[in-house]
Each structure stands twice: as structure tokens, then as C-alpha cells.
Amino acid sequence: MTTTGLFLLAILALGFLITFQIAKASEYVSVLKGEKKSFEQNNKINGFLMVVFLVLGLIGVYWCNKALYHKTLMPYPSASEHGENIDTMLKITLLITGIVFFITQILLFWFAYKYQYSDKRRAFYYPHNNKLEVLWTTVPAIALCTLVGFGLYYWFKITGEAPANAMQVEITGRQFGWIYRYPGKDNVFGKKYFRMIDEADGNILGMLWKDSTMETPNGVQNLKADPTGYDDIIQTSAMYLIKDQPVKLIINSRDVIHDVGLPHFRMKMDAVPGTPTTMWFTPKYTTEEMKKITNNPNFEYEIACDQMCGNGHYSMKGLIKVVTRDEFVLWRAKQQPGYKAPTKAGDPAITEPGAQPAPAAQPADTAAAGAGAVVPKGNLVAAHK
């Protein structure tokens, strides 16, 4: 255990000991002074402490907000168009709940002080009032339903059909990292099968790059190679996106449930094994522009796993590079497909994803796939020579 941990543990133990001693001392005082007098004295002390706690609590709320606000994402604009709506919804929610919080907490502690026990005052019992019950039931219900309604509206927009010109990127979670896949020149993702995953051969997604036969609980299964996957780009270093270009994320998981958290874009979506999920958004600022906005020269867009996924969960961080269209074309031109054609019959040679192997011969219908730079804009396919 660290020194800080031991120090906190010692503080907790000391606090418990002090509380215990105060309680015992109160018992002795009650015996010496008499129960009634001791009760009245303790009641006054508790009422006073309620006011002190209220004042110190409000000061603490103000201090925490002043000290930590700049460390949150709130001072900076959302990096996506959808995120602007999420920010607006969050601010409205905080405003409504904040007003209710301050009113109820101030009344709670003030009433505890104002209406403490007194011989000169008798308690007034007010057990039932239909109008009040209808009021404090319907008003919160309407407010919450309105907030939930706006949340569902924006959720359906995020998870709905992406624009026709949206770039498609597949992101797959694994313990403990992210895998990114782009379609090649054909703009079609190749098929994959989880039983084909082979880390040793570099097939980290289970791509159907060759004919295979395997035993399954239902018998022998024959898998045919899918040529549309020969030109797919597979990366593990960073996901590149284009500013002002809608992007549809196709989200998968290779093992357990993960969650693609995009805090700067104000978005998140579960990555579920065997059940692809999707969401789309439009980046507003390049990485370089965001460095200036945040006044942080080391700024990077982050992909966080927002679902506890194992003992290495804390390290499951990915990067997003938002660039201009021209920068994306240059980056894409340098990438090689994850698949490399066999050097001899029956010997599939598969490169490590993200590596830069020498170009290799490919089937006739996809031979040019590795040389293309796919930059979707409608039906636009920008290629380079």
C-alpha cells in the first residue's frame, strides 16, 4: 500500500475513534445532567451543526466547481455536430436538477435548524394533501419525460441511417486495445469469421483470406475465401477521420463487452461480441485545430473503453486523428492492405496489420485495390498512382 493510502486509512481510523469517544462522552454527560437537559442541549448542537454543514457544503460546491471545472470537457466545444445537441441537453439537465438540488438542500438543513425541538412549540401533523401530491408528482414526471424524449430523439439520430456520403470505418475491441479497418478501393468490407482469428499469422480479425475447413459442433464447415477483403486496410495505431466528412462506425468486439467512448465527440456505443452496433457523426475540428482550442499542444482525440472489460481495462485507450481531406488522401496512399498474396501455392502470406510490406500480386478483380485511396464523398473514389 502506498504512503498516501496509509495516510488516508489513518485519517479514517482517527475519525472513527474520535466519533466513538464523543458518543461515549455524551452518554456520561446524559447520566450526570439528566436525560431531558442532555437531550435539549444535544438538539441545539445538532441544529447548529446542520446550518454549519449547509454553509460549508455550499462553499465546497463552489470551490470544487472553480477548481475543477477547467479540467472537464465543458469549457471546450464538442468536436462533432451531434455532440453540440448532447451538450445543450446536458446543460438543460444540469440547470433543472441544479435548481431543484439547491432549493431542496437549503430547505432541508434550514428546516432541521428552524424546527428543532422546543417546549414552546407543538408539532403540527399534516399527513395528506391531494393537491400537493399531484403537484410534486406530475411536475417532475413531465420534466423527466421531456428530458428523456429529447434524449431518445438525439439517440435515434446518432444510431440512425448515416448520410450517403459517410465514410465507413470498422472498429473492433479486444482485450486490451482497438483494431480499425477501412475498405479498400472497392469500398466493400471483406467477410470475416471469428474462428479464423490467428494472431500468429497476423489475421487479428478472422478475415476470410483463404479457403478453410474446420470442425464445428454442427459438423465440418467449408469457408470460401472472400476476395473483397484482400484490399481492406487494418490498423491498430490510430483511426484517421476527415474533418466535415460524416463517418459511420461499425462497432464489434472480439472477446467481451467493450464500449467505444468518444468523450470529445460526446458519443459512446457498446461493442458487443457477435452483435455489431453502429453510430455516425461528423467531426468539426482537426486534431491541430483542437490543440489550439484547448491550448494543449499534446492534445489527442481519445477512444476510451467505457465498459469494465478486465484487469487491463485502464490501459484500453485508442487515438483518433482528425485531418483534412488532402491529408487523409496522403495518409491513405501510404497504407498497404492487411493481406499479402501467397508467395507460393498454398502458402498464404499475411502481413502484420499496420505494417508497410512491399506490394504483392493480387487476384485480377482486386489487383488494384491496394493502390487506391478511398475518400467517400457521395460515390467519389479518389485514387492515386
Side-chain angles (χ1 to χ4, degrees), residues 368-382:
V374 180
V375 187
K377 189 173 184 180
N379 295 320
L380 173 64
V381 176

Side-chain angles (χ1 to χ4, degrees), residues 4 7 37 52 65 163 171 188 224 246 267 284 313 326 346 384:
T4 303
F7 182 68
K37 189 173 182 179
V52 172
N65 181 73
I171 176 170
V188 176
K224 297 190 68 65
M267 306 182 74
K284 289 179 55 183
H313 166 73
D326 290 342
H384 74 284

Side-chain angles (χ1 to χ4, degrees), residues 67-294:
L68 302 175
Y69 179 75
H70 67 281
K71 295 184 179 181
T72 69
L73 294 176
M74 293 298 292
Y76 310 112
S78 167
S80 72
E81 294 179 358
H82 285 323
E84 291 180 340
N85 297 326
I86 302 299
D87 276 352
T88 300
M89 191 169 59
L90 177 62
K91 291 175 182 177
I92 293 174
T93 302
L94 289 176
L95 177 63
I96 294 174
T97 57
I99 292 174
V100 173
F101 170 81
F102 281 106
I103 291 176
T104 55
Q105 296 305 304
I106 290 173
L107 289 177
L108 172 65
F109 291 101
W110 172 247
F111 280 8
Y113 171 78
K114 181 176 177 60
Y115 297 106
Q116 60 183 278
Y117 170 80
S118 172
D119 287 334
K120 301 177 182 179
R121 181 173 57 240
R122 291 175 60 89
F124 177 66
Y125 293 95
Y126 195 68
H128 185 71
N129 186 301
N130 288 334
K131 291 182 180 179
L132 283 178
E133 290 188 8
V134 170
L135 182 65
W136 66 48
T137 300
T138 56
V139 172
I142 292 172
L144 291 175
C145 286
T146 302
L147 294 176
V148 170
F150 277 108
L152 290 174
Y153 173 74
Y154 292 127
W155 175 256
F156 288 135
K157 289 189 67 174
I158 292 170
T159 58
E161 194 64 33
N165 67 329
M167 177 172 65
Q168 295 193 41
V169 182
E170 182 188 79
I171 176 170
T172 301
R174 63 171 176 176
Q175 293 175 312
F176 297 95
W178 301 101
I179 306 170
Y180 320 107
R181 181 164 69 125
Y182 296 80
K185 186 178 180 181
D186 58 5
N187 208 26
V188 176
F189 285 110
K191 296 179 181 178
K192 58 183 183 177
Y193 185 48
F194 74 97
R195 292 182 180 272
M196 295 295 294
I197 294 175
D198 191 338
E199 294 275 358
D201 284 340
N203 192 358
I204 59 177
L205 287 176
M207 301 291 296
L208 297 181
W209 283 331
K210 61 180 179 179
D211 294 341
S212 301
T213 301
M214 61 178 56
E215 294 284 345
T216 69
N218 298 323
V220 178
Q221 184 175 8
N222 295 316
L223 301 174
K224 297 190 68 65
D226 181 16
T228 61
Y230 291 160
D231 61 349
D232 287 0
I233 304 300
I234 301 174
Q235 284 285 334
T236 57
S237 55
M239 178 165 62
Y240 278 74
L241 303 178
I242 305 173
K243 176 186 174 182
D244 296 328
Q245 172 75 49
V247 56
K248 176 181 179 181
L249 296 185
I250 303 170
I251 302 167
N252 298 274
S253 173
R254 221 183 65 168
D255 34 52
V256 300
I257 296 178
H258 300 281
D259 190 292
V260 177
L262 308 177
H264 302 100
F265 300 94
R266 313 298 198 260
M267 306 182 74
K268 68 191 294 292
M269 176 63 71
D270 284 345
V272 184
T275 306
T277 55
T278 63
M279 65 177 176
W280 73 274
F281 60 96
T282 304
K284 289 179 55 183
Y285 308 106
T286 66
T287 300
E288 293 302 317
E289 289 173 337
M290 207 62 176
K291 288 180 179 180
K292 297 178 181 178
I293 292 174
T294 61

